[in-house]
Amino acid sequence: MSQITIQCRLVASEPTRQALWTLMAERNTPLINELLAQMAQHPDLEQWRQKGKPAPGVVKKLCEPLRKDTRFIGQPGRFYSSAIALVEYIYKSWLKLQQRLQRKLEGQQRWLGMLKSDQELCEQNNCTLDTLRDKAAKILVSLESPQPKQGKGKKTKAKTQSSPRQSLFEMYDSAEDTLVRSAISYLLKNGCKLPTNEEDPQQFTKRRRKAEIKVERLINQMEASLPKGRDLTGERWLDTLLTASSTVPEDNQQAKSWQDILLTKTKAVPYPINYETNEDLMWSKNENGRLCVRFNGLSEHTFQVYCDQRQLKWFQRFYEDQQIKRASKNQHSTSLFTLRSGRIAWQESDRKGDPWTANYLTLYCTLDTRLWSTEGTEEVRAEKAADIAKILTKMNEKGDLNDKQQAFIKRKTATLDRIKNPFPRPSKPLYQGRSHILVGVALGLDKPATVAVVDGTTKRAIAYRNLKQLLGKDYKLINRQRQQKKAQSHQRHKAQKRSGSNQFGYSELGQHLDRLLAKAIVTFAQSQGAASIVVPKLEDMREIVQSEVQARAEEKVPGYSKGQKKYAQQYRVQVHSWSYGRLIESITSKANQQGIAIEEAKQPARASPTEQAKELAISAYDSRLNS
């Protein structure tokens, strides 16, 4: 989707701001906190952990009786809907994270069960180390031998070749002989090859202890506290302070949990209110010609819009879309409105006074950039018409429809007729890239982004760009960002030593750099006529960064493992710590706006940045052909 989010400041009279703050801080946020507490005590919580998501509609059922509760009564209907949607989102995210941690824990526990010393493996099979090595050598030979080809006439799905490590794990699962399993464990712990030196018992003990620590950390993360909401009154912090000052903690874990609460800066503003339909926002102009907006459920309150000049055209478009629809007596469809959804939120500030005066009120609007032009609107209209036609076909195939289903078909048919009426919009030709031209974006530690343009048909690179070439005159901001990170890391270290608060605010320089880099990559892709940009899978970045650090350490300190480890630690502190997820998100957003597709592939762990970018694009093109 080619959607972006813009924002503006909302200005209103003090009574209006006070009324909105009261609803959001004293009604809506406590409602969300109560829903989160009830979800944490739900009897089906363990089943949700296993599935990775809550049961559909459970939050809405919990909210129904709370609508009549005196603590939460008197809110507009959209406020209740926003609370339900937010709690569902929070728990879906939390349960997904729990499921991911559970899988990591199971994998680490499995590896810990396989990780045994050479002596333990020999004693388990009552054999010598030479016998174990011979068996491991035969397994390696079987991995290197080519797989038998399929007979004629048999069609098989294209399958990505497994890595040696993955193949060994698969063999371990299917093997029944204990000697084969021990030989596989022997290979896995030695990097899928036969070692030339004898095992050091002390080093193995350290290695096993590291694996045990990983399991313990994952268990602690799994037992982390459930989502608790926002404590705007500070009661939770005060209760924790009183408990910690008058009670001896049972163990270190309880003491740490108290410390985390006391050192964490709590949110001083309520949860935002989401308006998920574009009809919930009503646009107008006041006597001075300034844009104003009113919200469903708050129609007696009017807010003036103050925004950047670059974003004014979008807010002006929201107003024009509604005016056109009203003038045509609803002959146009809101499904083609440029605005898709909105969100009201309070932003904290250091100003003194009442919270509704001290804090800023902000409106976030999500819009579809394709709906700016006639060509883009036609593309969206065709997609929506196809979706509606598919729904109507399925409904008509059922037959014997009840009154509710017939009313649904009538509404969909009316929408289908209305979206045929185009909005008057400027013409802007859509970007058309060549499908066989791909741009691979390799991410790394020392060089956050390297780009390669590849012709998928010939597997040859057309052009390369490094970080300095992409950013140009803005490259100097990289050093400024590194200095800020280093200074902040030092401040955090000093705060931790004195058990003080280590919650420091971040500048927006990193986000600004991400946007500059994303814009440069997308512009370069357009200049090369690329149809897609290939980014690495985010879950592979830890392995890639670790491999890069290890390779550099081995190059700088060859043959000395302790020196390599020390160099790696120092190197991680010196180089720039990049937010890869945020960068990929910026690239995706900018590419979608320009009509360039985003693909994902596995980035090679050990290679030069240019080769990584090239192989990334080739891998995506091959995967596209195979699928």
Side-chain angles (χ1 to χ4, degrees):
M1 292 293 292
S2 52
Q3 293 189 348
I4 61 172
T5 299
I6 61 174
Q7 67 182 65
C8 68
R9 184 72 50 80
L10 294 182
V11 176
S13 63
E14 184 172 350
T16 292
R17 293 168 61 84
Q18 182 178 0
L20 184 59
W21 177 272
T22 301
L23 282 172
M24 294 174 66
E26 299 180 12
R27 293 286 188 269
N28 193 258
T29 296
L31 172 63
I32 293 172
N33 293 341
E34 179 65 24
L35 288 172
L36 290 173
Q38 291 191 16
M39 288 287 286
Q41 298 171 1
H42 200 281
D44 296 335
L45 181 61
E46 193 56 39
Q47 296 181 13
W48 300 343
R49 282 180 187 263
Q50 300 299 325
K51 294 180 180 179
K53 59 181 179 180
V58 63
V59 181
K60 187 176 182 179
K61 291 179 182 177
L62 293 175
C63 187
E64 287 301 324
L66 296 178
R67 285 175 175 261
K68 302 176 183 178
D69 194 311
T70 54
R71 296 173 297 170
F72 317 120
I73 202 170
Q75 300 182 58
R78 287 289 182 258
F79 279 48
Y80 292 107
S81 301
S82 175
I84 293 169
L86 182 59
V87 173
E88 284 181 346
Y89 174 78
I90 290 174
Y91 257 87
K92 282 180 181 178
S93 303
W94 184 80
L95 289 170
K96 199 67 178 178
L97 177 61
Q98 290 287 302
Q99 187 184 50
R100 192 180 304 128
L101 290 174
Q102 180 64 37
R103 289 174 182 170
K104 285 185 178 181
L105 177 61
E106 291 172 355
Q108 284 294 330
Q109 288 174 333
R110 175 194 183 196
W111 171 237
L112 190 59
M114 297 169 62
L115 186 60
K116 297 178 181 178
S117 66
D118 291 354
Q119 183 180 354
E120 290 173 328
L121 292 174
C122 291
E123 290 177 354
Q124 182 178 349
N125 295 276
N126 194 21
C127 66
T128 63
L129 182 59
D130 290 337
T131 304
L132 188 67
R133 287 174 61 88
D134 290 341
K135 192 66 178 177
K138 293 178 181 178
I139 293 173
L140 280 180
V141 172
S142 67
L143 284 179
E144 295 172 357
S145 60
Q147 298 294 328
K149 295 182 179 180
Q150 296 288 340
K152 292 182 178 180
K154 293 184 178 180
K155 294 183 179 180
T156 57
K157 291 183 179 180
K159 186 178 180 180
T160 305
Q161 187 177 1
S162 301
S163 64
R165 183 176 178 84
Q166 183 180 350
S167 300
L168 286 173
F169 272 112
E170 292 173 357
M171 289 177 63
Y172 185 90
D173 291 335
S174 59
E176 297 180 357
D177 185 25
T178 56
L179 180 59
V180 174
R181 286 193 159 206
S182 298
I184 293 173
S185 299
Y186 180 75
L187 287 171
L188 285 169
K189 74 173 183 175
N190 287 293
C192 303
K193 55 188 177 183
L194 293 174
T196 55
N197 301 323
E198 292 186 5
E199 184 178 61
D200 185 345
Q202 291 184 348
Q203 291 295 330
F204 176 79
T205 302
K206 289 181 180 179
R207 182 179 182 183
R208 183 171 177 83
R209 180 55 189 153
K210 286 182 180 179
E212 291 172 349
I213 291 172
K214 285 183 180 180
V215 171
E216 292 170 2
R217 289 181 62 185
L218 285 170
I219 291 174
N220 291 335
Q221 291 178 32
M222 289 286 293
E223 295 175 352
S225 60
L226 292 155
K228 293 179 180 178
R230 295 185 179 180
D231 180 22
L232 301 182
T233 60
E235 291 181 4
R236 187 190 308 161
W237 186 90
L238 186 58
D239 291 342
T240 304
L241 179 62
L242 293 174
T243 302
S245 60
S246 60
T247 308
V248 177
E250 297 178 358
D251 49 31
N252 290 334
Q253 184 176 356
Q254 187 179 51
K256 187 179 183 305
S257 65
W258 292 348
Q259 186 183 43
D260 290 342
I261 294 174
L262 293 175
L263 294 181
T264 301
K265 183 180 179 181
T266 58
K267 285 283 187 179
V269 293
Y271 281 109
I273 302 297
N274 293 321
Y275 288 89
E276 297 182 356
T277 62
N278 50 23
E279 293 180 281
D280 288 333
L281 284 73
M282 293 150 283
W283 304 89
S284 61
K285 287 187 177 182
N286 60 17
E287 60 277 4
N288 297 323
R290 177 170 292 278
L291 276 172
C292 300
V293 62
R294 291 180 292 115
F295 301 93
N296 191 355
L298 300 171
S299 56
E300 68 275 15
H301 301 293
T302 301
F303 302 86
Q304 297 182 46
V305 173
Y306 283 71
C307 67
D308 189 275
Q309 187 66 30
R310 294 174 300 174
Q311 298 178 339
L312 180 60
K313 65 175 185 178
W314 295 110
F315 291 103
Q316 187 73 29
R317 169 61 62 83
F318 303 159
Y319 168 74
E320 292 170 358
D321 284 350
Q322 280 194 347
Q323 291 297 106
I324 291 171
K325 183 175 181 294
R326 289 170 185 165
S328 65
K329 298 181 179 179
N330 293 330
Q331 294 302 309
H332 289 81
S333 174
T334 57
S335 61
L336 294 181
F337 274 9
T338 309
L339 175 66
R340 307 317 304 157
S341 62
R343 182 173 77 249
I344 309 175
W346 291 91
Q347 286 186 335
E348 292 186 59
S349 74
D350 297 330
R351 298 188 302 179
K352 304 296 182 181
D354 295 322
W356 52 85
T357 303
N359 299 307
Y360 297 108
L361 187 60
T362 305
L363 172 64
Y364 297 90
C365 292
T366 300
L367 57 95
D368 191 335
T369 57
R370 293 182 298 173
L371 292 169
W372 177 260
S373 65
T374 301
E375 292 81 359
T377 302
E378 177 57 28
E379 183 180 351
V380 176
R381 189 204 65 77
E383 291 176 2
K384 292 184 178 294
D387 291 339
I388 295 173
K390 191 182 298 183
I391 293 172
L392 292 176
T393 301
K394 289 183 179 180
M395 293 294 293
N396 290 325
E397 288 175 352
K398 292 181 179 180
D400 297 330
L401 303 178
N402 56 36
D403 294 341
K404 188 175 181 179
Q405 291 172 325
Q406 290 178 356
F408 174 78
I409 289 179
K410 187 176 180 180
R411 289 197 303 272
K412 286 294 181 182
T413 304
T415 301
L416 189 60
D417 292 336
R418 283 197 295 268
I419 64 174
K420 295 177 182 178
N421 298 324
F423 283 83
R425 286 169 180 167
S427 177
K428 182 182 178 181
L430 299 176
Y431 173 77
Q432 296 290 337
R434 293 173 288 175
S435 61
H436 63 284
I437 302 297
L438 302 88
V439 173
V441 182
L443 305 181
L445 190 61
D446 192 19
K447 299 177 180 178
T450 304
V451 171
V453 182
V454 175
D455 187 334
T457 56
T458 62
K459 305 292 191 296
R460 296 181 62 182
I462 300 173
Y464 295 103
R465 289 292 186 275
N466 58 31
L467 188 66
K468 190 172 184 179
Q469 291 170 324
L470 288 168
L471 289 177
K473 63 180 181 180
D474 294 319
Y475 182 74
K476 59 185 179 182
L477 297 177
I478 295 289
N479 288 331
R480 187 190 302 176
Q481 170 73 347
R482 287 176 177 170
Q483 292 171 1
Q484 286 185 2
K485 284 275 187 179
K486 190 174 181 179
Q488 199 167 54
S489 177
H490 182 61
Q491 291 177 357
R492 186 177 292 106
H493 176 68
K494 292 194 298 183
Q496 289 173 340
K497 287 180 68 175
R498 63 174 184 266
S499 297
S501 175
N502 55 14
Q503 301 291 324
F504 299 106
Y506 290 93
S507 72
E508 295 185 354
L509 180 57
Q511 188 177 28
H512 178 60
L513 274 170
D514 286 340
R515 290 173 177 171
L516 289 175
L517 190 53
K519 182 178 180 181
I521 291 172
V522 172
T523 302
F524 179 58
Q526 285 182 302
S527 68
Q528 299 295 319
S532 64
I533 296 175
V534 187
V535 296
K537 294 180 179 178
L538 195 57
E539 59 266 22
D540 298 330
M541 287 311 302
R542 183 183 294 274
E543 179 185 350
I544 293 168
V545 169
Q546 178 62 30
S547 299
E548 185 175 337
V549 172
Q550 185 62 32
R552 194 176 184 93
E554 291 174 358
E555 179 186 355
K556 294 292 183 180
V557 192
Y560 183 41
S561 59
K562 289 185 178 179
Q564 292 172 3
K565 183 177 180 181
K566 185 176 180 180
Y567 177 85
Q569 290 175 342
Q570 294 174 346
Y571 182 66
R572 285 192 186 93
V573 175
Q574 293 173 359
V575 298
H576 175 64
S577 178
W578 205 272
S579 176
Y580 299 108
R582 189 178 62 192
L583 175 58
I584 291 176
E585 185 179 343
S586 298
I587 294 172
T588 303
S589 175
K590 194 67 180 177
N592 286 337
Q593 294 177 39
Q594 304 300 326
I596 301 177
I598 292 292
E599 299 182 69
E600 282 189 337
K602 183 176 177 62
Q603 180 175 320
R606 286 182 177 268
S608 66
T610 52
E611 285 298 314
Q612 285 179 327
K614 177 183 174 181
E615 292 300 322
L616 192 68
I618 293 174
S619 175
Y621 187 79
D622 291 342
S623 177
R624 187 198 301 173
L625 294 180
N626 292 336
S627 60

